[in-house]
């Protein structure tokens, strides 16, 4: 009987059933996308990382002691493999920097898991031959069998291309360094290495903490490090998927509000069925289970249909969000059981939570009132306790001192965001009441009767309050998402345009002579101001899980002339920079300060090679450079402590036309192994890597607005049905059709305006709270409140509300007063 009731009503009320299922499908899809986006992003980051290290566990490189660095490999049975290669940078067609990797084909197959490479190429891989990627052939418009001329250490060499590989493993196109595979003995002969190599990869049988120490002891003159650092991958994934998590949370809350309003109508319609079951001996608990099971039934249908949509949505997201530089990356999408199970559980949970309150409100009534659908009318009161709770929910996320949280910061921030959204949903009823009172007073004084009646209707109708709640959550989500995207664009612009007081970068390895590079720059005929700094990548902070992505040397006498220094405290820039030379002192980012849970004045131990060296933190800066994972030390101690390969960048400020001077520089430095980019090019390249994700976030936000529009339309229809008798009475005592239509439009505009104002406040409060969530995952983001977006938010509230009223206005014209009153 229960199944019959549920199926009968589901078929009878097709539109409402579709709305519930569609809403639950959206919950399931965005939850699935959030999980899937993390997995796909991690796979992309992992695959691009494997380009440089394959499936190895450790990487060994020679420490910098001479112009040509090399070492001998010690074969050891403790390793699954230890394979050496010879790497040397070269230039091709003026300023295109390539990496020649000398290798044996079987070694490449083993490290990068490329099948049949040796079988395809065979014995022809010897001498001055090369294997490139398909992307390389397309990029330079050449074919297999062609010869290319590369410049190695100032000497031209011809290489014949004998094969091209798909973009996998070593040949992935990630927009960075491009590898060209050549025979190892060819490069060893060219560089005078004999049987030595300058880089090796190690895979161990049982990877443990001692493996790194054992390799370090075995190769004392080399730098041994992990091939892939998982914490760096996790950080990169969190950066790109954090906003999805926030959107998922808001969508879940919004869906609960929508489905709850629909189930209030469903519960009202089930009153007669519940009365019969109760009169036949069914208790309240059983009746509760019947109504809740209906919600579960809809969620199961949504789960089945959603699983189909989810698969298509993941392929669409991968295509949209994948940066153009990685378009040739062969990423296979694999769907794990947890990706389907967890969204199903969340969807069922949303359905059950949405059903509970309407169900309890119905089943607590007496059998007589249920049977005859008698409304138990009570005077609507605004609970002071509810107001206090809602204000507490709003104030805690805004005022809580984050320094009191030492662990699980991300979970606390998710809780705070949830509290803020729920608090605003609860407080909306009170804000609507007071707004209506104020507007009633104004329209009463102005003798605007229709407007006065419209405001009175909003004040006394629960459906309008529910509509406003939907507007508040969805528009706040819109304001937050677009503010985040716009501010990321501005932050990137700030990093490269406002903070950088120069025009272009020139990057090169320390093996290149700085004086040679600077002399060539000066020979261009353009007048430049130059500042060269040194930096080194990947330095662990001892006894912590964190590391510096980049440590940079600072010349305290000139640094601030090329970079703006945004200090987190009121400290003089010159004074702070001068302290760097007075001992092993370091300036770190404010985000790093919070991650490590330390204060200015504390000391940290930084890993340089195989030594932990203590540095005193003398200041903190607000910086997005290297995702906030960077530190600044003096030139003096940089050269004392960094005993591995390091890099240089020269910042250039040209007195004349920067675009023309940049073209000239690229020609002059074409024979050198350098990378030249203007500040504007760096800015656009940085944003391009995230543009697909930003586009997808905007699409999801628009879908949330559509979901809100559907929910509001359902409420307006229900509201119209419940008020048909009232409309007929008003018409019978003299209200014209135009006045009735005007009243409905004014109701829509007023509720949309109030909802837009509350959404604007909530959205801007989320803008204040979300940066704490971003910081909890190890990043920094400054989000500014936009007056223009706030105004658009209010305008959208009015537009969405007015759109939903159009259908009601049309229906109001078709009401037959005689038929409705006769039916009553």
């Amino acid at each position: 009987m229960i199944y019959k009731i549920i199926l009968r009503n589901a078929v009878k009320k097709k539109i409402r059933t579709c709305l519930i299922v569609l809403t639950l499908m959206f919950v399931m899809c965005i939850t699935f996308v959030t999980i899937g986006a993390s997995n796909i992003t991690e796979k992309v980051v992992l695959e691009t990382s494997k380009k440089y290290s394959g499936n190895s566990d450790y990487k060994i490189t020679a420490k910098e002691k001479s112009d040509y660095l090399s070492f001998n490999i010690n074969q050891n049975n403790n390793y699954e493999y230890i394979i050496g290669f010879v790497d040397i940078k070269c230039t091709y067609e003026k300023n295109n920097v390539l990496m020649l990797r000398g290798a044996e084909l079987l070694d490449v197959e083993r490290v990068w898991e490329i099948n049949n490479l040796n079988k395809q190429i065979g014995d022809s891989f010897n001498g001055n031959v090369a294997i490139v990627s398909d992307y390389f052939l397309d990029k330079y418009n050449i074919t297999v069998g062609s010869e290319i001329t590369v410049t190695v250490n100032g000497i031209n060499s011809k290489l014949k291309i004998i094969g091209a590989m798909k973009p996998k493993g070593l040949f992935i196109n990630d927009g960075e360094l491009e590898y060209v595979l050549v025979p190892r003995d060819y490069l060893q002969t060219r560089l005078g290495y004999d049987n030595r190599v300058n880089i090796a990869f190690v895979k161990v049988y049982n990877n443990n903490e001692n493996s790194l120490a054992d390799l370090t002891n075995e190769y004392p003159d080399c730098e041994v490090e992990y091939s892939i650092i998982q914490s760096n991958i996790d950080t990169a994934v969190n950066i790109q998927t954090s906003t999805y998590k926030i959107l998922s949370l808001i969508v879940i809350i919004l869906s609960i509000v929508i489905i709850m309003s629909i189930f209030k109508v469903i519960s009202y319609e089930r009153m007669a069925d519940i009365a019969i079951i109760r009169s036949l001996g069914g208790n309240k608990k059983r009746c509760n289970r019947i109504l809740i099971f209906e919600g579960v039934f809809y969620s199961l249908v949504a789960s089945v249909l959603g699983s189909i949509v989810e698969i298509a949505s993941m392929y669409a997201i991968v295509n949209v969000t994948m940066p153009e530089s990685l378009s040739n990356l062969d990423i296979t999408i694999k769907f794990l059981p947890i990706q389907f199970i967890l969204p199903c559980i969340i969807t069922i949970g949303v359905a059950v939570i949405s059903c509970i309150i309407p169900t309890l409100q119905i089943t607590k009534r007496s059998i007589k009132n249920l049977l005859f659908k008698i409304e138990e009318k009570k005077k609507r009161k605004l609970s002071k306790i509810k107001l206090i709770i809602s204000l507490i929910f709003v104030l805690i996320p805004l005022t809580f001192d984050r320094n009191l949280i030492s662990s699980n910061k991300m979970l606390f921030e998710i809780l705070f965001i949830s509290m803020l959204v729920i608090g605003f949903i609860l407080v909306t009823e009170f804000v609507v009441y007071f707004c209506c009172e104020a507007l009633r007073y104004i329209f009463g004084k102005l003798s605007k009767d229709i407007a006065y009646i419209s405001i009175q209707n909003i004040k006394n109708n629960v459906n309008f309050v529910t509509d406003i709640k939907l507007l508040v959550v969805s528009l706040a989500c819109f304001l937050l998402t677009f503010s985040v995207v716009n501010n990321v664009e501005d932050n990137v612009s700030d990093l490269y345009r406002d903070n950088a007081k120069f025009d272009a970068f020139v990057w090169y390895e320390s093996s290149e002579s700085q004086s040679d590079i600077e002399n060539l720059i000066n020979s261009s005929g353009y007048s430049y101001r130059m500042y060269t700094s040194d930096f080194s990548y990947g330095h662990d902070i001892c006894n912590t899980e964190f590391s510096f992505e980049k440590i940079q040397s600072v010349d305290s006498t000139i640094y601030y002339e090329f970079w703006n220094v945004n200090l987190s405290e009121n400290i003089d820039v010159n004074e702070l920079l001068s302290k760097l030379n007075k001992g092993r002192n370091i300036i770190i980012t404010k985000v790093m300060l919070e991650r490590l849970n330390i204060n200015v004045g504390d000391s940290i131990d930084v890993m340089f090679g195989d030594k932990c060296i203590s540095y005193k933190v003398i200041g903190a800066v607000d910086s997005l450079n290297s995702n906030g994972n960077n530190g600044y030390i003096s030139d003096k101690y940089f050269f004392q402590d960094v005993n591995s390969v390091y890099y240089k960048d020269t910042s250039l400020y040209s007195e004349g036309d920067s675009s023309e001077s940049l073209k000239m520089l690229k020609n002059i430095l074409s024979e050198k192994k350098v990378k030249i980019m203007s500040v504007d090019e760096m800015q656009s390249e940085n944003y391009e890597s995230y543009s697909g994700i930003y586009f997808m976030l905007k699409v999801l936000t628009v879908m949330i607005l559509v979901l809100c529009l559907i929910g509001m339309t359902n409420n307006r229809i229900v509201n119209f049905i419940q008020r048909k008798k009232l409309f007929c009475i008003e018409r019978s005592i003299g209200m014209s059709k135009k006045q009735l239509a005007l009243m409905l439009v004014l109701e829509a505009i007023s509720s949309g305006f109030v909802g837009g104002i509350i959404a604007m406040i909530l959205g801007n409060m989320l803008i204040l709270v979300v940066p704490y969530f971003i910081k909890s995952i190890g990043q920094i983001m400054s989000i500014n409140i936009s007056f223009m977006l706030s105004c658009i938010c209010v305008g959208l509230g009015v537009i969405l509300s007015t759109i939903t009223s159009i259908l009601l206005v049309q229906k109001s014209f078709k009401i037959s007063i005689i038929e409705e009153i006769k039916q009553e």
Side-chain angles (χ1 to χ4, degrees):
M1 182 180 68
I2 293 170
Y3 297 146
K4 275 188 176 181
I5 292 172
I6 292 172
L7 291 172
R8 181 191 65 200
N9 287 286
V11 173
K12 185 178 179 181
K13 305 289 183 179
K14 296 182 182 67
I15 296 178
R16 190 172 60 211
T17 301
C18 290
L19 178 59
I20 297 174
V21 172
L22 184 65
T23 305
L24 290 171
M25 279 176 63
F26 192 65
V27 171
M28 187 171 181
C29 283
I30 197 167
T31 310
F32 181 90
V33 164
T34 301
I35 299 170
S38 297
N39 293 339
I40 292 295
T41 304
E42 182 174 4
K43 186 175 289 188
V44 170
V45 174
L46 193 60
E47 286 296 319
T48 51
S49 299
K50 284 183 176 180
K51 169 182 178 177
Y52 302 97
S53 56
N55 58 18
S56 64
D57 298 318
Y58 299 96
K59 179 174 67 173
I60 304 173
T61 51
K63 293 180 181 177
E64 186 163 9
K65 288 188 176 180
S66 64
D67 291 336
Y68 301 107
L69 313 172
S70 62
F71 58 91
N72 288 307
I73 291 178
N74 306 322
Q75 294 299 331
N76 193 318
N77 293 330
N78 294 329
Y79 311 132
E80 185 175 328
Y81 66 69
I82 176 167
I83 298 174
F85 301 91
V86 179
D87 283 0
I88 186 73
K89 283 187 178 178
C90 69
T91 55
Y92 173 62
E93 288 192 350
K94 293 185 178 180
N95 60 339
N96 296 303
V97 179
L98 307 174
M99 177 67 84
L100 296 183
R101 171 155 285 175
E104 298 291 338
L105 294 182
L106 291 175
D107 292 340
V108 175
E109 287 184 357
R110 194 170 186 187
V111 177
W112 283 276
E113 298 175 341
I114 299 175
N115 298 324
N116 300 321
L117 178 59
N118 186 53
K119 188 175 180 181
Q120 292 175 24
I121 306 300
D123 296 333
S124 58
F125 191 64
N126 59 75
N128 56 337
V129 297
I131 300 172
V132 297
S133 66
D134 290 336
Y135 172 78
F136 185 93
L137 299 181
D138 294 337
K139 180 179 179 180
Y140 298 108
N141 194 26
I142 54 179
T143 59
V144 174
S146 303
E147 283 191 347
I148 60 174
T149 301
V150 298
T151 304
V152 181
N153 295 328
I155 301 173
N156 291 337
S157 298
K158 286 189 176 181
L159 297 173
K160 182 179 180 181
I161 298 174
I162 61 171
M165 302 301 297
K166 292 182 178 180
K168 184 179 180 182
L170 187 68
F171 300 101
I172 287 173
N173 168 36
D174 61 352
E176 298 295 332
L177 199 58
E178 195 160 1
Y179 281 91
V180 174
L181 203 61
V182 297
R184 185 168 59 197
D185 56 2
Y186 167 76
L187 273 189
Q188 286 174 330
T189 303
R190 285 290 310 273
L191 301 176
Y193 277 10
D194 295 328
N195 290 321
R196 299 187 304 277
V197 296
N198 58 14
I199 186 170
F201 297 105
V202 184
K203 189 172 184 63
V204 298
Y205 287 111
N206 296 309
N207 196 2
N208 55 56
E209 295 180 357
N210 297 326
S211 299
L212 183 62
D214 292 342
L215 282 166
T216 302
N217 293 331
E218 190 174 348
Y219 293 89
D221 295 328
C222 298
E223 183 174 356
V224 182
E225 57 186 343
Y226 290 104
S227 296
I228 295 174
I229 301 173
Q230 187 61 41
S231 60
N232 292 342
I233 292 175
D234 294 339
T235 299
V237 172
N238 283 330
I239 294 170
Q240 300 188 39
T241 59
S242 56
T243 314
Y244 282 115
K245 295 172 185 175
I246 298 173
L247 281 181
S248 298
L249 181 63
I250 294 175
V251 165
I252 289 172
I253 296 172
L254 178 65
S255 301
I256 290 173
V257 175
I258 292 174
I259 297 171
M260 192 179 292
S261 66
I262 297 173
F263 263 95
K264 284 182 180 179
V265 180
I266 292 175
S267 300
Y268 180 81
E269 292 178 347
R270 302 291 185 276
M271 287 170 68
D273 297 328
I274 296 298
I276 294 170
I277 294 171
R278 288 273 302 278
S279 64
L280 294 175
N283 56 29
K284 290 183 179 181
K285 288 184 178 179
R286 177 168 292 182
C287 294
N288 288 340
R289 286 199 296 269
I290 292 171
L291 290 174
I292 291 174
F293 180 75
E294 183 162 359
V296 174
F297 169 77
Y298 290 130
S299 66
L300 292 174
V301 174
S303 298
V304 174
L305 297 176
S307 298
I308 301 170
V309 177
E310 288 165 353
I311 295 172
S313 64
M314 276 311 304
Y315 282 102
I317 286 175
V318 170
N319 291 332
V320 170
T321 60
M322 187 74 72
E324 187 177 349
S325 61
L326 297 177
S327 58
N328 291 322
L329 187 61
D330 185 17
I331 292 292
T332 304
I333 302 177
K334 293 182 180 179
F335 299 101
L336 303 175
I338 188 66
Q339 289 180 257
F340 294 95
I341 295 171
L342 187 58
C344 285
I345 293 172
I346 292 174
T347 304
I348 294 171
V350 168
V352 171
I353 293 170
S354 304
C355 297
I356 288 175
I357 293 178
T359 296
L360 294 177
Q361 288 175 343
I362 291 296
T363 54
K364 71 179 183 181
R365 298 184 181 187
S366 66
I367 296 176
K368 183 184 80 171
N369 289 349
L370 286 171
L371 189 61
F372 296 103
K373 293 187 178 181
I374 298 173
E375 290 285 349
E376 297 177 354
K377 293 186 178 180
K378 295 181 181 179
K379 190 175 180 181
R380 190 178 170 201
K381 294 181 180 180
L382 297 176
S383 170
K384 292 181 180 178
I385 296 176
K386 186 177 178 181
L387 176 60
I388 293 171
I389 292 173
S390 60
L391 290 176
I392 290 172
F393 271 42
V394 170
L395 291 175
I396 287 178
L398 297 173
T399 60
F400 191 86
D401 185 2
R402 265 61 177 188
N403 294 324
L404 299 176
I405 306 172
S406 58
S407 60
N408 297 321
K409 288 189 176 184
M410 188 177 73
L411 294 178
F412 275 100
E413 293 304 333
I414 291 174
L415 176 63
F416 288 151
I417 292 173
S418 302
M419 287 177 66
L420 186 60
V421 175
I422 293 170
F424 258 85
I425 290 174
L426 295 175
V427 85
T428 294
E429 185 175 354
F430 299 92
V431 176
V432 170
Y433 177 84
F434 291 118
C435 287
C436 288
E437 285 294 311
L439 290 172
R440 278 178 63 209
Y441 177 80
I442 294 170
F443 290 134
K445 290 291 184 181
L446 296 175
S447 299
K448 301 295 182 180
D449 296 337
I450 297 297
Y452 182 91
I453 294 171
S454 300
I455 299 301
Q456 182 69 22
N457 291 340
I458 295 173
K459 177 188 171 185
N460 295 330
N461 197 305
V462 177
N463 288 320
F464 278 114
V465 177
T466 303
D467 281 349
I468 293 173
K469 289 178 180 178
L470 295 178
L471 277 176
V472 167
V473 178
S474 57
L475 290 176
C477 183
F478 160 83
L479 182 57
L480 172 66
T481 302
F482 279 79
S483 295
V484 167
V485 172
N486 290 347
N487 277 271
V488 168
E489 294 176 7
D490 293 340
N491 286 337
V492 171
S493 176
D494 290 343
L495 175 61
Y496 293 109
R497 176 46 57 197
D498 296 336
N499 289 343
K501 302 178 182 180
F502 50 91
D503 301 315
F505 288 103
V506 180
W507 289 277
Y508 50 98
E509 288 186 7
S510 54
S511 56
E512 289 282 352
S513 170
Q514 179 178 331
S515 59
D516 288 349
I517 298 295
E518 291 182 353
N519 288 335
L520 285 171
I521 292 172
N522 287 324
S523 69
S524 65
Y526 287 87
S527 177
Y528 288 104
R529 285 196 300 117
M530 284 183 286
Y531 167 63
T532 299
S533 64
D534 306 278
F535 57 94
S536 177
Y537 291 115
H539 294 275
D540 293 335
I541 301 173
C542 304
N543 303 316
T544 73
E545 60 181 356
F546 302 107
S547 63
F548 286 113
E549 186 175 329
K550 179 179 177 182
I551 286 185
Q552 184 170 351
S553 70
V554 172
D555 182 345
S556 58
T557 62
I558 194 173
Y559 180 78
Y560 63 89
E561 294 181 14
F562 284 81
W563 285 97
N564 282 327
V565 181
N566 300 315
L567 298 175
S568 57
E569 294 92 9
N570 268 326
I571 301 175
D572 182 67
V573 174
N574 296 329
E575 180 186 345
L576 180 65
L577 291 176
S578 65
K579 283 184 181 180
L580 284 176
N581 299 319
K582 298 176 181 178
R584 279 190 168 86
N585 298 319
I586 187 170
I587 300 171
I588 65 176
T589 62
K590 193 175 180 182
V591 175
M592 210 69 185
L593 206 67
E594 293 184 2
R595 283 183 198 152
L596 298 170
N597 195 25
I598 59 174
N599 300 310
V600 173
D602 293 341
S603 294
I604 57 174
D605 295 328
V606 184
M607 181 69 76
F608 288 91
D610 54 357
K611 295 180 181 178
C612 265
I613 301 176
S614 181
Y615 274 79
K616 183 180 179 181
V617 179
I618 61 170
V621 296
D622 288 322
S623 174
L624 289 172
N625 193 11
S626 302
N627 299 317
N629 299 336
N630 52 314
Y632 306 90
I633 63 177
S634 70
D635 289 339
K636 174 183 175 182
Y637 292 103
F638 181 90
F639 292 116
Q640 285 186 20
D641 297 339
V642 175
N643 56 359
S644 60
V645 175
Y646 62 93
Y647 303 86
K648 293 176 177 287
D649 68 47
T650 299
S651 306
L652 302 174
Y653 177 77
S654 60
E655 303 294 343
D657 188 340
S658 59
S659 60
E660 288 298 321
S661 64
L662 190 62
K663 290 178 182 177
M664 179 67 73
L665 272 182
K666 288 182 177 180
N667 288 328
I668 290 175
L669 298 174
S670 61
E671 301 300 322
K672 292 290 183 180
K673 293 174 285 187
V674 300
K675 182 177 181 180
I676 308 170
M677 290 189 79
S678 69
V679 173
D680 292 332
E681 287 172 341
M682 281 293 297
Q683 178 180 327
S684 60
E685 184 182 86
N686 191 301
Y687 181 74
E688 182 191 347
S689 61
Y690 295 102
S691 59
I693 294 173
Y694 300 150
F695 174 76
M696 203 65 215
L697 289 175
K698 290 178 181 179
V699 170
L700 289 175
T701 305
V702 171
M703 290 176 69
I704 290 172
L705 292 177
V706 172
L707 187 64
C708 166
L709 190 64
I710 294 171
M712 288 176 62
T713 302
N714 173 76
N715 282 344
R716 291 293 166 88
I717 292 173
V718 171
N719 190 11
F720 181 82
I721 293 171
Q722 292 174 345
R723 296 170 64 193
K724 281 172 73 174
K725 178 182 177 182
L726 179 62
F727 291 157
C728 291
I729 293 173
E730 289 171 339
R731 287 284 310 283
S732 65
I733 60 175
M735 181 179 282
S736 66
K737 287 185 178 181
K738 289 184 178 180
Q739 287 175 319
L740 179 59
L742 179 61
M743 183 183 74
L744 293 174
V745 171
L746 287 175
E747 288 174 357
I749 293 173
S750 301
S751 59
F753 180 76
V754 172
I757 293 292
I758 302 172
M760 179 185 69
I761 298 170
L762 172 58
N764 287 323
M765 285 188 176
L766 282 171
I767 287 171
L768 298 177
V769 173
V770 165
Y772 291 109
F773 172 79
I774 302 297
K775 282 186 179 181
S776 72
I777 60 175
Q779 297 305 311
I780 183 171
M781 180 179 288
S782 174
I783 309 176
N784 299 319
I785 293 174
S786 169
F787 176 75
M788 181 60 68
L789 280 175
S790 298
C791 293
I792 292 173
C793 179
V794 177
L796 271 176
V798 175
I799 292 170
L800 290 174
S801 187
T802 304
I803 289 173
T804 57
S805 69
I806 293 174
L807 178 64
L808 305 189
V809 171
Q810 291 176 338
K811 285 182 171 290
S812 68
F813 288 145
K814 299 177 182 179
I815 293 178
S816 172
I817 301 175
I818 297 175
E819 290 298 324
E820 289 296 328
I821 294 178
K822 188 185 296 183
Q823 184 178 352
E824 289 295 328

